[in-house]
Amino acid sequence: MDKLGTLGIFVQTAEAGSFVAASHRLGLSGSAVGKAIGRLERELGVRLFHRSTRSMTLTEEGSFFLDTCRKILSDLDAAQAQLSKSHNTPRGVLRVSFPLTGMLLMPAISAFMRTFPDIKLDLDFTDRLVDVIEEGFDAVVRTGDVRDTRLMSRKLGVFRHRIVASPDYLNERGTPQVPEDLLLHHCMHHRYANSGKLEPWPLTRQGKELRISLPTTTVASTLEPLIHLAERGFGITCLPSFAVDTQIADGKLTAVLDDFTAEAGIFRVLWPTSRYLSPKIRVFVDFMADNLFAG
């Protein structure tokens, strides 16, 4: 177990980027962390870190060893979790980050809270790129691809975009029959908070992407204002299906050009590779996978 403890210190040091930062995570002194890494390097006969007065980075051998250590510790945690799973009740604080669009997923989140009252949720809503490990999140729900090799992921569901407008707007301005008809409409766009760029409308024809320079009547960094304005006839907009399904079902919005939109959206839940799925994380992942896009 002492050797496993040293491997854990190495992983934390590699992820934190310094002895001092690792010591804060581990509750040890910086000196103790440095000595543990020194003993490990002598035992292995290789240098794991490049050290300078300003930075500390992994050597090639250190990078290889880090991947191996993560797998060892993850397998150990998983085995321990499996052995004790029957005795563990999901409980405690679960810190989860959602995108700003996560506000529209509150029915699934509130259903989870009713099902697992012993789990206290600490919810963060932001579109910025959070550092799951550094900021201490148990899990993060995001759209798009996973690029952080430190994270495990599971797909929660796929959604499409719908181009929508109110019935009154379409009666007044006409219903688009082909994507090019949008050039004559008041197009309302979602702007990414991180980049400031407009989210492209996923227009296609016969499986090929269409690039049309659409009019820009209104721009918003969150989806709720676009829904509100579309319902009141201010224009036509393109939004994720989960954001407008209720309005479409209630007749407040009408979907158009469905045959010309691609299905491209994916929600994923991410969690640190070196952290086994504790009962509270496991039930959260399973519940969201089963209920996020139920129906």
Side-chain angles (χ1 to χ4, degrees), residues 6 32 71 82 86 107 119 129 144 194-195 198 202 205 245-246 292:
T6 301
K71 186 176 187 312
Q82 185 65 32
S86 59
I119 296 178
L129 189 63
N194 282 333
S195 65
L198 298 184
R205 179 180 281 117
D245 280 344
T246 299
L292 192 61

Side-chain angles (χ1 to χ4, degrees), residues 17-39:
S18 72
F19 293 152
V20 174
S23 70
H24 292 161
R25 290 186 179 188
L26 296 164
L28 301 172
S29 67
S31 174
V33 172
K35 289 178 179 178
I37 296 300
R39 288 194 300 269

Side-chain angles (χ1 to χ4, degrees), residues 1 11 20 45 55 84 91 107 140 143 166-167 170-173 238:
M1 295 306 293
V11 171
V20 174
S55 65
S84 61
R91 64 175 69 249
V140 172
T143 59
S166 71
L170 295 175
N171 287 335
E172 179 183 348
R173 304 281 303 186
C238 182

Side-chain angles (χ1 to χ4, degrees), residues 3 38-46:
K3 183 169 289 187
R39 288 194 300 269
L40 183 59
E41 288 180 326
R42 289 192 296 274
E43 183 176 339
L44 295 173
V46 298

Side-chain angles (χ1 to χ4, degrees), residues 23-127:
S23 70
H24 292 161
R25 290 186 179 188
L26 296 164
L28 301 172
S29 67
S31 174
V33 172
K35 289 178 179 178
I37 296 300
R39 288 194 300 269
L40 183 59
E41 288 180 326
R42 289 192 296 274
E43 183 176 339
L44 295 173
V46 298
R47 197 168 187 79
L48 298 173
F49 293 98
H50 295 298
R51 301 175 180 83
S52 70
T53 55
R54 294 186 178 182
S55 65
M56 187 171 75
T57 59
L58 287 167
T59 63
E60 183 178 351
E61 293 82 1
S63 295
F64 167 78
F65 193 57
L66 176 61
D67 291 338
T68 303
C69 289
R70 281 176 173 160
K71 186 176 187 312
I72 291 171
L73 295 174
S74 180
D75 288 346
L76 176 62
D77 284 342
Q80 290 175 331
Q82 185 65 32
L83 290 172
S84 61
K85 184 169 63 174
S86 59
H87 304 290
N88 285 339
T89 300
R91 64 175 69 249
V93 177
L94 183 67
R95 190 160 184 247
V96 185
S97 176
F98 284 90
L100 288 176
T101 54
M103 289 297 296
L104 298 166
L105 309 179
M106 284 307 298
I109 297 171
S110 57
F112 175 81
M113 295 173 69
R114 285 191 295 269
T115 305
F116 299 98
D118 291 333
I119 296 178
K120 311 302 180 185
L121 289 181
D122 181 347
L123 301 178
D124 172 80
F125 291 92
T126 180
D127 278 335

